[in-house]
Amino acid sequence: MAKIIALMNQKGGVGKTTTTINLAACLAVAEKRTLIIDLDPQGNGSISVGLDAEHYLEKNIYHVIKDGINIKEAIYETELPGLHICPSENNLAGAEVELVNEYARELRLKNAFQAIADDYDYVLIDCPPSLGILTVNALTAADTFLVPMQTEYLAMEGLAQLVNTVRLIKSSLNPTLEMEGILLTMFDSRASLHKQVVDEIKKHFEDKVFNTVIPRNVKLAECPSFGKPIILYDISSKGSEAYLSLAKEIILKERMQTESVSIPEAHMIQNASNELQAQIQ
């Protein structure tokens, strides 16, 4: 049964799509069957894995949600084995208006997932930077939600609204929804302000904050324009190391919740990344 994680933050520019793509790629490297759902109408996630929009204009996540086509028809392979994506397109921006009078509109994505529940280990949903019907669909379908947050004070302003939205979803549509964690992104170790924000967030949210912090990294900014996740673009970069670490945290957290973690499992993702680096070289 797939674990479904919605990556959300109504504030744009916090590294949400970057995290979705690169975390998914690192999970795939760890031999986890992984699916990306690009639920952002901008479609940046689809571009970031090298998909050509002309190939999926007729079958993508818009047609799954709006027209009810089988989601299996809208899933595409990527360059990385084990990593698939259900892409997005501009028409998705109008879905919120088109679904206004539709019955059970909040359940469209959850119902679609029934067809692939056993096909993947992880499903990562890249939510749009808003708290509209698309994000509600994601949270209704998800097991957990992950919040990428830039290490600046302004990035914290909308967190209360986000938490309130989650509370409403839990009370009405998805009572089992839990927080996967808060991921601190775009961290600059030279900036004292960034360090203060990290300390403040960890003080308030404690164990809900991932140990991994994503640094501000040129290679991470470059790789989407080449249509590659960071581990295929530059596996030795600080950005690659950070997302491999995040994937390890998520895998171990899930295993610790169900069973004791063995040493081979704890080192699985690092060994896989080493093998991939050797193949690239």
Side-chain angles (χ1 to χ4, degrees):
M1 182 71 70
K3 179 174 184 178
I4 304 171
I5 305 174
L7 288 89
M8 60 178 294
N9 193 324
Q10 74 273 28
K11 187 180 187 303
V14 298
K16 179 174 53 61
T17 297
T18 297
T19 295
T20 304
I21 297 304
N22 291 300
L23 172 57
C26 291
L27 290 170
V29 165
E31 299 182 357
K32 300 296 183 181
R33 301 166 300 166
T34 306
L35 172 66
I36 299 167
I37 303 291
D38 188 353
L39 207 59
D40 189 337
Q42 298 178 73
N44 291 334
S46 305
I47 296 170
S48 297
V49 294
L51 284 193
D52 185 346
E54 294 183 0
H55 295 161
Y56 59 81
L57 283 177
E58 295 183 359
K59 292 183 179 181
N60 52 62
I61 192 61
Y62 169 76
H63 302 100
V64 173
I65 292 177
K66 178 61 176 61
D67 301 327
I69 72 167
N70 191 317
I71 193 171
K72 290 185 176 183
E73 299 179 28
I75 291 175
Y76 301 81
E77 295 182 352
T78 71
E79 182 180 358
L80 194 62
L83 179 62
H84 296 167
I85 185 168
C86 182
S88 173
E89 59 148 315
N90 291 335
N91 283 339
L92 192 60
E96 303 216 8
V97 176
E98 295 171 329
L99 291 173
V100 165
N101 296 318
E102 295 289 334
Y103 174 73
R105 60 185 182 274
E106 300 90 352
L107 302 174
R108 293 296 181 94
L109 195 58
K110 181 176 182 178
N111 292 337
F113 282 157
Q114 293 178 7
I116 57 168
D118 297 323
D119 295 345
Y120 296 96
D121 299 304
Y122 289 93
V123 176
L124 304 188
I125 309 174
D126 184 17
C127 297
S130 67
L131 297 176
I133 191 63
L134 293 177
T135 299
V136 170
N137 260 267
L139 291 175
T140 302
D143 298 305
T144 63
F145 66 98
L146 188 158
V147 184
M149 181 178 293
Q150 192 173 353
T151 48
E152 296 182 359
Y153 277 113
L154 289 178
M156 300 172 62
E157 288 188 345
L159 189 58
Q161 183 183 359
L162 186 152
V163 171
N164 185 56
T165 299
V166 170
R167 181 181 61 80
L168 293 173
I169 296 293
K170 288 191 66 171
S171 65
S172 58
L173 295 168
N174 187 359
T176 62
L177 180 66
E178 298 293 340
M179 176 182 280
E180 187 72 27
I182 295 174
L183 176 68
L184 300 174
T185 64
M186 303 181 185
F187 176 71
D188 187 345
S189 59
R190 299 167 299 179
S192 60
L193 176 62
H194 285 211
K195 295 178 181 178
Q196 292 172 19
V197 173
V198 170
D199 291 341
E200 191 71 16
I201 293 175
K202 288 186 175 180
K203 176 182 176 181
H204 283 86
F205 293 95
E206 299 177 342
D207 60 344
K208 292 297 184 182
V209 183
F210 285 104
N211 293 323
T212 300
V213 176
I214 308 300
R216 192 178 294 276
N217 183 254
V218 173
K219 297 297 184 180
L220 275 176
E222 291 176 351
C223 63
S225 63
F226 290 87
K228 294 179 180 293
I230 189 64
I231 57 172
L232 293 182
Y233 180 66
D234 188 349
I235 196 170
S236 62
S237 69
K238 293 294 184 181
S240 181
E241 292 177 3
Y243 278 111
L244 285 166
S245 175
L246 176 62
K248 183 190 295 184
E249 271 198 75
I250 288 176
I251 291 172
L252 296 184
K253 177 183 176 181
E254 183 179 6
R255 291 197 178 275
M256 287 175 67
Q257 291 173 344
T258 57
E259 59 188 59
S260 59
V261 182
S262 67
I263 292 176
E265 288 168 341
H267 292 283
M268 175 179 59
I269 190 167
Q270 190 60 54
N271 292 339
S273 66
N274 290 342
E275 291 177 7
L276 178 62
Q277 186 170 13
Q279 293 174 11
I280 294 174
Q281 293 174 342

